[in-house]
Structure formats: structure tokens, C-alpha cells
């Protein structure tokens, strides 16, 4: 009996809630079907999240979203902005994407779910974008002169680079026009037997026919046009290079790390200084290795110097021939010969230019290679600082690569970087100057250390790492030499053949 009464109450409760549920569904359906008002629903989203980068002052990728006329013109990509479907409308695709490099707003939190849904319904309903009253009034009331003047001003603005480029040639063109005018007047004056045109200049002017003067004028005009086209080509190449750089940044795996693009390593936690020592540990861990594999393989020394290798420290005058970064690598005791093979050391080079894996064009500045100081034990390089100081500050990065050169092609992977922040006061190195080195691997990439991976301070550190004091294995597999062979940094014959 009690069960039946309970079931009856449950049915009554469901019956009482059913109209509410139906009403909620109907209300939600009504919301979904409500016509989107661009001015009320969509434009505030654009104003808050888009116009900063796509507005009157900044037009990232050539796109403006502060008016229908500009939006219809689209950006450099030519993608659909006004109209289209959910799959073709670029605004909806960007704001709803989950890919960090593609999603908009760029370098900012994603739009809320409600805002994305509003844009989705706006696109589904045809992406109506009514002209603002000011736009419509201007389009109707502007005279033909005003419209033409605006187009001309816009054309001049788009070709500002070209005008700056041809200015010297334009001056020469005007001077040439004046010269042709004087020659033409001299011809007329000579016919009229004017005294000032009776000399050699008048004779030369009379010698030139009207056809020749016309050809000279056309040559000048053609030369000016060619210079304008040359400026346009340079501008186009500059824009293309900028777009390629942006594309490389988005596609680079470095952009997804804390190092950024181009990568900047994390500074070690040591005091400010312009000279330091760093320790490179072994990567492998195995009970058959000395100290379970936790031992020193090489020591790095870094300091500033002049062109002759003399040390430059705080308080020293800046050399007239410029500053250099001195880098020295010293082999640790007990490390196998195969890891310091001369062919291996020949793969190390330094450059202030950053590239990933492969570069088919030569670097702007010739890379600096290691030179042997003590064969098989010590190697060094003096890397020139080619950047010019800004005021009293000189800053930059020097990348250490491991790779090889094949004609014009350079292949290599970044392993370390040396960062310098140098301050100059009274033409001397100030105490605020800093020079340090770090690796592109560490706790900033993955913390805590994943299982099977080494703690950063056991691999690269500014504090000493235990050195080998006894015998160590020479097994190339235990030492990880295969990895260098697979990368092409060592030939297969670098591994000694086991003796029977």
C-alpha cells in the first residue's frame, strides 16, 4: 500500500514538473531560433576582443573588424569573413578552434562558450552585418570628388614604402624635366635669334630634335616607373618574409615550450657575472656505469675577451675592435675517446642566427667553429659579438649547434645558448653586465621529472658534478653513442670494433 502511494506521489511530481521541463525546452528553442542582432549581440564581442588587433590602428594580417566595408574586404588570406558556412566562415573557425596557434584571440584567453555560440548562430543565420548609419550616410552623401580623394589617399597609403623608395629618383626626374624644359626653350630662342641662345648650349639644343627630346622624356618616365616597381617588389618581399616568419613561429615546436620562438633558455640560479664555469653530466643511467651513470663528461668555461683572446672583465675598457665571447670545453677525466672524437667536435658551431634542423641558405655571418687547444682534451672558440649596442646596452644570444655543413646547406640542432646583457658606462664594462650559459632542457620544461628521465642538475649545472675516479665502461650502447651515429654526427666507424 505504501509503495503504491509512493508511486502515485512520484507520478504526480513528474506530472507537475513536466510542464516546467517543456517550458524550459521551448524557451531554449526560442533562444536558439531568435534572430541575432549584430549591433546588440556580435559587435560588442568584436569590440572587446578583436578590434585591438583588427581595427583602425592595427590591422593584423590586413584585416579590420570595426566596420562592414573593411570586413568585407577581408585580410591577406582572402578567407570569408562576412557570410559563408560554419566550415568556411573564418571568424567562426578561428574563435572555435582548439589549436593554440590558430585560435583567436591571439595570445589571450579564448571566448566564452556563450560568445562562441552567439557567433555560431550569427553565421548560421547568414552573418548579417548591417552598415552603420555613418557608413550608409557617408556612402550616399559623399560627392564623387570625396570618394575619389579617399580612394587616392588609400592608394597612396598602401604604397607608402614605394614612394619613400623612389624619392631620390623622383628628385632626379624633376631635375631632368627642368633640364628638358630649358633645352626646349633654348631651341625656340635660337630660332628667334636670341643672344643667350647663340652659344654652344644653344647649338646643342638646336641639334636635338623634338622626337629625341620626347624619347628622353619617355626614358626618364620609364626609369621612374621601373624604380617604383622595384620598390613594390622589395615591399612585397619584405611582407612575404614577415609572413613566413610568423608562419615559422606558429609551426615551430619551440612555440609550445617555455623557451618560445626564437628560443631563449632559462637562466641558471647564480649571481650576475661576466665569466663562469658550467658542468655537463652524463645522460645515461645504468648500474654498470661509474656512479650509476651520474658523472661529469665535460666542463664549459665562458667569459668575455678581445680579438686577441685577452680577458675583458667588469671595469675594463671596451676594445676598439669589439667584444668576443670566449667558450672553452674541457674533457672530464675518464670519459671515453669516442665521445670526444675529432669528427664529433667538428660538428659543433656557434651562430647568433637561429634556425631549426636545416637551412638551405648560408647564414648571414659565418658560423664559428671549435679549435683544438690540446688535441683530444681541450677545444675553444672566440665568437664575435656582431650586434650593435642600443645606447649603453648590448644584448643578444649565441646558439651552440651540433650539425654539419654540406655546400650551401647547413644542418644542426640547438643544444645550448650563451646569453649576454652588457652595460657600458664611460666606455667601460659596467658591474650590471651579465653573461651566462644554459641548456635547452631542464625543470622548466617538465616538472616534476617524469619517470625514467634525469633531474636537470644531474645533466647540466653551474655547480660541480662528480668526476670519474675509477674505471668506466667503453660499451658504446651503454654510453649512448648510437644516438650520435643515428643523427649523423658520428660515422659508424667511430665505434671501435670489439677485439676477439
Amino acid at each position: 500500500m505504501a509503495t503504491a502511494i509512493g508511486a502515485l506521489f512520484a507520478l504526480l511530481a513528474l506530472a507537475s514538473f513536466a510542464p516546467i521541463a517543456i517550458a524550459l525546452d521551448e524557451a531554449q528553442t526560442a533562444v536558439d531560433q531568435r534572430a541575432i542582432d549584430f549591433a546588440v549581440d556580435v559587435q560588442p564581442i568584436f569590440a572587446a576582443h578583436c578590434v585591438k588587433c583588427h581595427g583602425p590602428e592595427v590591422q593584423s594580417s590586413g584585416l579590420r573588424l570595426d566596420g562592414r566595408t573593411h570586413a568585407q574586404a577581408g585580410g591577406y588570406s582572402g578567407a570569408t569573413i562576412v557570410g559563408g558556412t560554419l566550415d568556411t566562415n573564418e571568424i567562426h573557425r578561428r574563435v572555435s578552434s582548439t589549436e593554440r596557434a590558430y585560435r583567436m584571440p591571439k595570445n589571450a584567453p579564448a571566448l566564452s562558450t556563450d560568445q562562441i555560440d552567439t557567433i555560431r548562430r550569427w553565421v548560421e543565420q547568414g552573418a548579417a552585418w548591417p552598415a552603420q548609419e555613418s557608413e550608409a550616410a557617408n556612402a550616399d552623401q559623399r560627392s564623387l570628388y570625396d570618394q575619389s580623394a579617399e580612394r587616392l589617399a588609400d592608394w597612396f597609403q598602401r604604397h607608402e614604402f614605394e614612394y619613400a623608395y623612389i624619392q631620390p629618383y623622383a628628385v632626379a626626374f624633376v631635375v631632368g624635366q627642368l633640364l628638358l624644359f630649358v633645352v626646349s626653350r633654348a631651341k625656340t630662342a635660337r630660332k628667334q635669334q636670341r643672344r643667350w641662345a647663340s652659344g654652344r648650349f644653344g647649338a646643342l639644343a638646336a641639334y636635338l630634335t623634338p622626337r629625341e627630346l620626347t624619347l628622353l622624356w619617355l626614358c626618364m618616365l620609364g626609369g621612374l616607373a621601373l624604380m617604383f616597381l622595384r620598390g613594390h617588389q622589395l615591399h612585397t618581399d619584405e611582407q612575404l618574409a614577415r609572413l613566413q616568419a610568423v608562419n615559422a613561429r606558429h609551426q615551430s615546436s619551440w612555440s609550445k615550450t617555455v623557451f618560445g620562438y626564437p628560443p631563449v633558455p632559462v637562466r641558471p640560479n647564480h649571481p650576475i657575472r661576466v665569466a663562469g664555469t658550467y658542468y655537463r653530466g652524463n645522460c645515461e643511467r645504468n648500474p654498470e656505469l661509474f656512479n650509476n651513470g651520474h658523472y661529469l663528461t665535460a666542463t664549459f668555461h665562458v667569459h668575455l675577451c678581445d680579438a686577441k683572446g685577452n680577458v675583458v672583465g667588469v671595469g675594463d675598457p671596451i676594445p676598439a675592435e669589439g667584444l668576443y665571447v670566449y667558450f672553452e670545453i674541457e674533457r672530464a677525466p675518464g670519459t671515453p675517446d669516442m665521445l670526444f672524437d675529432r669528427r664529433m667536435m667538428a660538428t659543433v658551431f656557434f651562430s647568433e642566427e637561429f634556425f631549426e634542423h636545416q637551412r638551405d641558405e648560408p647564414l648571414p655571418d659565418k658560423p664559428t667553429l671549435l679549435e683544438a687547444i690540446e688535441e683530444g682534451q681541450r677545444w675553444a672558440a672566440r665568437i664575435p659579438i656582431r650586434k650593435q649596442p642600443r645606447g649603453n646596452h648590448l644584448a643578444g644570444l649565441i646558439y651552440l649547434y651540433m650539425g654539419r655543413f654540406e655546400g650551401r646547406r647547413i644542418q644542426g640542432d640547438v643544444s645550448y645558448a650563451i646569453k649576454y646583457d652588457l652595460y657600458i658606462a664611460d666606455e667601460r664594462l659596467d658591474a650590471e653586465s651579465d653573461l651566462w650559459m644554459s641548456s635547452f632542457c631542464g625543470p622548466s620544461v617538465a616538472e616534476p621529472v617524469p619517470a625514467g628521465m634525469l633531474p636537470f642538475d644531474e645533466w647540466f649545472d653551474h655547480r660541480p658534478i662528480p668526476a670519474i675516479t675509477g674505471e668506466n665502461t667503453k660499451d658504446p650502447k651503454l654510453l649512448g653513442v648510437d644516438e650520435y651515429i643515428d643523427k649523423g654526427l658520428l660515422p659508424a666507424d667511430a665505434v671501435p670494433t670489439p677485439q676477439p
Side-chain angles (χ1 to χ4, degrees), residues 175-483:
V175 172
Q177 299 305 296
L178 292 174
L179 183 60
L180 288 179
F181 174 76
V182 172
V183 171
S184 179
R185 293 294 297 165
K187 287 176 63 67
T188 304
R190 189 173 180 83
K191 288 181 180 179
Q192 297 174 352
Q193 297 182 348
R194 300 287 179 88
R195 182 178 300 177
W196 68 271
S198 60
R200 292 182 179 180
F201 180 75
L204 177 63
Y207 179 77
L208 294 172
T209 66
R211 178 178 295 180
E212 290 171 340
L213 291 175
T214 302
L215 287 175
L216 284 173
W217 179 80
L218 289 175
C219 287
M220 291 180 184
L221 186 63
L224 187 65
L226 286 175
M227 290 301 101
F228 184 88
L229 292 176
R230 172 62 176 164
H232 180 71
Q233 180 64 43
L234 292 175
H235 189 206
T236 302
D237 292 343
E238 182 182 283
Q239 289 179 315
L240 179 60
R242 188 183 304 116
L243 291 174
Q244 288 175 337
V246 172
N247 184 54
R249 178 187 298 272
H250 288 314
Q251 291 185 349
S252 173
S253 58
W254 288 97
S255 298
K256 301 177 179 63
T257 70
V258 296
F259 303 120
Y261 182 95
V264 178
V266 178
R267 188 187 185 281
N269 186 24
H270 59 59
I272 292 176
R273 60 193 188 185
V274 292
T277 299
Y278 299 89
Y279 303 91
R280 168 68 155 91
N282 182 47
C283 299
E284 313 299 328
R285 290 293 177 270
N286 192 290
E288 298 184 31
L289 296 171
F290 174 83
N291 196 28
N292 198 36
H294 180 205
Y295 58 82
L296 180 68
T297 60
T299 304
F300 301 150
H301 305 280
V302 182
H303 63 254
L304 295 172
C305 68
D306 60 16
K308 296 180 180 179
N310 299 315
V311 177
V312 176
V314 171
D316 292 338
I318 303 299
E321 66 275 15
L323 283 168
Y324 290 72
V325 171
Y326 180 86
F327 172 86
E328 180 180 320
I329 178 172
E330 181 181 358
R331 176 180 172 182
T335 53
D337 294 338
M338 67 186 77
L339 294 180
F340 291 89
D341 186 275
R342 59 179 178 79
R343 291 166 292 188
M344 169 75 84
M345 305 311 293
T347 66
V348 179
F349 62 93
F350 303 82
S351 176
E352 291 193 87
E353 296 292 326
F354 173 74
F355 68 93
E356 289 189 82
H357 311 308
Q358 180 173 305
R359 183 184 175 100
D360 293 327
E361 297 180 358
L363 294 170
D365 296 312
K366 186 178 180 180
T368 304
L369 303 177
L370 285 174
E371 296 181 1
I373 299 178
E374 182 182 348
E375 192 65 40
Q377 296 295 327
R378 294 170 59 214
W379 300 260
R382 286 199 301 270
I383 309 109
I385 296 178
R386 295 187 171 92
K387 291 189 176 181
Q388 297 299 318
R390 294 185 177 181
N392 65 340
H393 185 213
L394 182 61
L397 271 174
I398 297 173
Y399 294 101
L400 186 156
Y401 293 88
M402 292 191 69
R404 59 182 181 272
F405 304 87
E406 295 178 355
R408 291 172 57 89
R409 177 174 296 179
I410 300 176
Q411 291 181 293
D413 292 315
V414 170
S415 301
Y416 309 88
I418 301 171
K419 181 78 167 64
Y420 57 86
D421 283 283
L422 309 178
Y423 292 89
I424 304 169
D426 298 328
E427 299 185 355
R428 293 179 179 272
L429 194 64
D430 192 76
E432 294 183 7
S433 300
D434 195 15
L435 176 73
W436 52 270
M437 179 180 182
S438 190
S439 169
F440 287 107
C441 181
S444 55
V445 181
E447 187 177 11
V449 178
M453 301 296 289
L454 296 180
F456 182 55
D457 56 4
E458 292 186 13
W459 186 83
F460 182 87
D461 202 355
H462 65 282
R463 296 163 297 189
I465 293 174
I468 296 175
T469 56
E471 288 294 326
N472 194 24
T473 182
K474 295 183 179 180
D475 187 340
K477 291 186 178 180
L478 288 177
L479 296 171
V481 177
D482 293 345
E483 178 184 349

Side-chain angles (χ1 to χ4, degrees), residues 24-299:
L24 289 174
D25 290 340
E26 291 177 349
Q28 184 62 45
T29 302
V31 169
D32 292 339
Q33 294 178 350
R34 178 181 66 83
I36 293 294
D37 186 327
F38 176 81
V40 175
D41 301 316
V42 179
Q43 194 171 31
I45 299 176
F46 289 173
H49 301 281
C50 306
V51 172
K52 181 180 179 181
C53 297
H54 303 285
E57 298 181 359
V58 179
Q59 297 91 43
S60 180
S61 300
L63 177 64
R64 286 183 64 172
L65 294 176
D66 59 324
R68 185 187 67 173
T69 304
H70 299 299
Q72 285 179 326
Y76 296 145
S77 66
T80 302
I81 299 298
V82 180
T85 64
L86 294 178
D87 293 329
T88 61
N89 185 279
E90 188 69 4
I91 292 180
H92 177 264
R93 293 177 60 188
R94 291 275 185 172
V95 300
S96 61
S97 176
T98 57
E99 296 183 15
R100 179 182 175 186
Y102 184 75
R103 176 186 58 77
M104 292 295 169
K106 184 179 180 180
N107 298 327
L111 298 183
S112 66
T113 304
D114 291 341
Q115 290 171 328
I116 296 175
D117 185 64
T118 297
I119 293 176
R120 174 188 63 79
R121 289 190 289 126
W122 175 61
V123 173
E124 288 178 338
Q125 294 176 17
W129 191 326
Q132 297 178 358
E133 293 182 4
S134 58
E135 287 185 279
N138 289 337
D140 295 337
Q141 297 176 8
R142 285 180 303 172
S143 65
L144 178 62
Y145 171 81
D146 291 334
Q147 295 181 34
S148 301
E150 181 179 343
R151 294 193 188 97
L152 186 62
D154 182 63
W155 195 84
F156 272 95
Q157 183 178 7
R158 285 188 288 111
H159 294 86
E160 184 178 355
F161 180 92
E162 289 85 338
Y163 299 135
Y165 180 78
I166 67 169
Q167 276 183 0
Y169 306 100
V171 172
F173 178 77
V174 171
V175 172
Q177 299 305 296
L178 292 174
L179 183 60
L180 288 179
F181 174 76
V182 172
V183 171
S184 179
R185 293 294 297 165
K187 287 176 63 67
T188 304
R190 189 173 180 83
K191 288 181 180 179
Q192 297 174 352
Q193 297 182 348
R194 300 287 179 88
R195 182 178 300 177
W196 68 271
S198 60
R200 292 182 179 180
F201 180 75
L204 177 63
Y207 179 77
L208 294 172
T209 66
R211 178 178 295 180
E212 290 171 340
L213 291 175
T214 302
L215 287 175
L216 284 173
W217 179 80
L218 289 175
C219 287
M220 291 180 184
L221 186 63
L224 187 65
L226 286 175
M227 290 301 101
F228 184 88
L229 292 176
R230 172 62 176 164
H232 180 71
Q233 180 64 43
L234 292 175
H235 189 206
T236 302
D237 292 343
E238 182 182 283
Q239 289 179 315
L240 179 60
R242 188 183 304 116
L243 291 174
Q244 288 175 337
V246 172
N247 184 54
R249 178 187 298 272
H250 288 314
Q251 291 185 349
S252 173
S253 58
W254 288 97
S255 298
K256 301 177 179 63
T257 70
V258 296
F259 303 120
Y261 182 95
V264 178
V266 178
R267 188 187 185 281
N269 186 24
H270 59 59
I272 292 176
R273 60 193 188 185
V274 292
T277 299
Y278 299 89
Y279 303 91
R280 168 68 155 91
N282 182 47
C283 299
E284 313 299 328
R285 290 293 177 270
N286 192 290
E288 298 184 31
L289 296 171
F290 174 83
N291 196 28
N292 198 36
H294 180 205
Y295 58 82
L296 180 68
T297 60
T299 304

